[in-house]
Amino acid sequence: MKRSTDRILVTHVGSLVRPMSIRNILSAREHGQPYDEAAYKKTLREEVAGVVRKQADVGVDIVSDGEYGKTGWIRYVSERLGGFVHRPFRQGDREQNPVYLI
């Protein structure tokens, strides 16, 4: 872990705005359209390297990948954990299960 006793270290939390090269591929994947997985991995690697470099150039002490590879939190979790079932919203669900639907 990076630490400092001289100053407060700078970082950020959360997603950075993804470049169109990544958004286009993630959109195709999200909508079940064809896309080139090898090209996606190469583009993701290049774009992450670029955003990390930019963060370092402006003085961000603890850089991140900007969450470029994640389409969204719910999808990210459901792709990695079992037990999640996508179901259509039904009228009355909010009243019966207010904790689960925001």
Side-chain angles (χ1 to χ4, degrees), residues 34-87:
Y35 68 95
D36 184 336
E37 182 68 25
Y40 168 65
K41 288 179 178 179
K42 180 179 186 282
T43 301
L44 182 61
R45 188 172 45 254
E46 291 170 354
E47 294 291 3
V48 166
V51 77
V52 166
R53 191 171 28 261
K54 285 179 187 176
Q55 291 171 70
D57 289 347
V58 299
V60 174
D61 298 299
I62 305 165
V63 299
S64 84
D65 66 355
E67 298 186 353
Y68 276 9
K70 298 179 181 99
T71 54
W73 188 84
I74 295 297
R75 183 175 181 111
Y76 178 76
V77 170
S78 68
E79 287 175 348
R80 286 159 180 77
L81 298 175
F84 287 90
V85 177
H86 294 277
R87 63 181 178 84

Side-chain angles (χ1 to χ4, degrees), residues 1-53:
M1 179 188 319
K2 197 168 189 178
R3 296 177 181 261
S4 175
T5 57
D6 302 323
R7 63 186 181 83
I8 297 173
L9 298 178
V10 176
T11 190
H12 66 86
V13 177
S15 300
L16 297 173
V17 177
R18 293 168 187 84
M20 287 303 297
S21 59
I22 292 176
R23 285 193 281 174
N24 290 338
I25 295 171
L26 291 177
S27 177
R29 190 170 86 177
E30 180 77 18
H31 294 95
Q33 298 171 342
Y35 68 95
D36 184 336
E37 182 68 25
Y40 168 65
K41 288 179 178 179
K42 180 179 186 282
T43 301
L44 182 61
R45 188 172 45 254
E46 291 170 354
E47 294 291 3
V48 166
V51 77
V52 166
R53 191 171 28 261

